[in-house]
Amino acid sequence: MRIIIYTGKGGVGKTSVAAATAVKLAKQGKRTLVLSTDAAHSLADSLGTVIGPDPVLISENLWGQEVNSLRETERNWGAVQGWLTTLLDKAQLTDITTEEMLVFPGMEEIFSLLQIKEHAVSGQFDVLVVDCAPTGETLRLLSYPNVLNWWLEKIFPTERKLIKLVRPVAKIVNKVELPSDDVLNSVEQLARGLEEMQRIVLDPEITSVRIVVNPEKMVLAEAKRSFTYLNLFGFNTDAIIVNRVLPDEAGEGFFAHWRELQRKYENEIVENFQPLPILKAPMMPKEVIGLPVLEELADIVFGTEDPSARLYQGRTELIREVDGELHLELMIPFVDKAALDLTQTGDELTVNAGAYKRKVILPRVLMGRQVTGAKYAEDRLIIRFSAREGAAQH
């Protein structure tokens, strides 16, 4: 199966591009599902038809789905919500809306993203095209599995054993009812599901991420930050889609200034993102609504190219031997050198880039080796390790 994830700043037209991609793939004979995980769904509007929280057949080989985050929350988090509700009732918290405390910020979006994993393992479709929420939200959510997996591996087994030992003696401790096996299983299943989802979306053979931009200053700045963090977390970004490009005939009259500005930013996009393919989607002469217009848009953007193909193959991590030392290179473009911070604990590296953090488990060849230095050059963080195995610093 192939998964194509579209992301970008809100309002750049990623929903239209995602829908157009799916229409073209379906025309090519591939069983295609276009899936919206954005809470502010507009996929049905773009397709010009009604779709729901489950896949709906739109035309031959084409299905659409707008994930119902509330339903997915109940399905994945219902047992935990039940326990938390009891907890809050016993605490007599009557002056707040308890429902608002039962789901942590970002959790509803996380449950929506789990649909990617479910469709990937179902085998029902050949291609899954995902219309994601705006970039910042998506990137933060995709980093959740790292945190949850660490918690599950380091703390959860001990807590679970302790609860099992205490429960036969006292079901209630300090007026707090201990969580049941159903509650604990829900937490574990969530963490395992997120871990599997992350494995799927990080596999470049399966998943490609494409950033949709408009040729505008603020949108370009956001796209550069997105590309930095996608590389930081190891996602395979294989194309940039420049959407709503004004035609050359707009170079006169009222739109002349705007066309000139767009040319400037188009050049910057090429300079900043090469060697990634830069695909252009024009400002269409009519609303991009309905299958015929979407198909027309996709033909312009992709031409004879297969939209499900890997449009670019590049490595974001590389290990090299240099003068007797091993170097781990992480591609992190467009980041301020002063915003980078690196720490090592055992065989785990933590890379901070501004507001984002990535934990890197060292490959086997680097395990047990000590970091001797690091530098940031040509969009790459180069971390040097000692040639001989030694105690890692803390």
Side-chain angles (χ1 to χ4, degrees), residues 166-207:
V166 172
R167 190 184 291 122
V169 180
K171 287 189 175 182
I172 298 179
V173 177
N174 291 333
K175 298 183 179 180
V176 175
E177 185 175 339
L178 298 176
S180 66
D181 283 338
D182 285 345
V183 172
L184 298 176
N185 288 338
S186 290
V187 175
E188 184 169 12
Q189 286 170 12
L190 170 63
R192 297 301 184 198
L194 290 173
E195 184 181 18
E196 176 65 9
M197 179 197 72
Q198 190 179 56
R199 183 194 66 78
I200 290 169
V201 298
L202 287 177
D203 186 343
E205 297 294 332
I206 299 175
T207 303

Side-chain angles (χ1 to χ4, degrees), residues 16 46 243-245 247 281-297 300:
S16 297
S46 181
N243 192 29
R244 297 177 184 149
V245 177
M283 175 73 76
M284 300 293 283
K286 49 193 169 184
E287 285 188 297
V288 186
I289 295 175
L291 303 189
V293 182
L294 290 169
E295 184 179 356
E296 181 183 348
L297 175 62
I300 296 172

Side-chain angles (χ1 to χ4, degrees), residues 307-328:
S308 66
R310 288 176 63 186
L311 303 182
Y312 176 77
Q313 301 181 33
R315 298 180 65 179
T316 58
E317 295 186 12
L318 178 66
I319 298 174
R320 296 192 302 163
E321 184 172 353
V322 180
D323 298 330
E325 287 186 327
L326 291 179
H327 289 190
L328 172 62

Side-chain angles (χ1 to χ4, degrees), residues 22-36:
V23 170
K24 186 173 180 68
L25 287 167
K27 287 288 184 178
Q28 292 178 345
K30 297 180 175 68
R31 295 171 301 162
T32 304
L33 170 65
V34 56
L35 170 78
S36 171

Side-chain angles (χ1 to χ4, degrees), residues 249-286:
E249 51 264 36
E252 298 180 1
F254 178 82
F255 288 103
H257 176 65
W258 289 108
R259 184 66 190 101
E260 192 60 33
L261 277 178
Q262 283 202 349
R263 285 196 184 96
K264 172 188 172 183
Y265 292 122
E266 284 178 66
N267 291 334
E268 284 192 27
I269 289 168
V270 173
E271 292 171 1
N272 284 312
F273 292 102
Q274 59 184 354
L276 287 183
I278 311 295
L279 307 180
K280 294 185 179 181
M283 175 73 76
M284 300 293 283
K286 49 193 169 184

Side-chain angles (χ1 to χ4, degrees), residues 67-114:
V67 179
N68 184 324
S69 59
L70 293 177
R71 191 184 75 167
E72 296 307 311
T73 300
E74 173 62 29
R75 191 160 66 91
N76 291 279
W77 203 239
V80 179
Q81 281 185 311
W83 174 63
L84 289 174
T85 299
T86 302
L87 206 64
L88 294 175
D89 286 345
K90 289 184 180 298
Q92 296 182 336
L93 297 177
T94 57
D95 58 335
I96 58 174
T97 304
T98 57
E99 289 82 359
E100 295 179 357
M101 295 185 61
L102 303 183
V103 180
F104 306 113
M107 291 292 280
E108 290 183 350
E109 290 82 358
I110 278 287
F111 298 133
S112 297
L113 288 171
L114 279 173

Side-chain angles (χ1 to χ4, degrees), residues 220-233 272-273 330-342 351-358 375-382:
L220 176 55
E222 172 76 8
K224 289 165 68 175
R225 283 192 293 268
S226 303
F227 190 50
T228 296
Y229 300 132
L230 286 166
N231 278 277
L232 177 65
F233 291 116
N272 284 312
F273 292 102
L330 302 176
M331 184 177 178
I332 312 176
F334 310 131
V335 68
D336 184 355
K337 182 179 179 180
L340 279 172
D341 184 57
L342 175 70
V351 182
N352 288 282
Y356 291 85
K357 178 190 295 184
R358 177 189 173 191
K375 69 176 182 177
Y376 181 70
E378 298 179 350
D379 293 337
R380 289 184 178 273
L381 177 62
I382 303 170

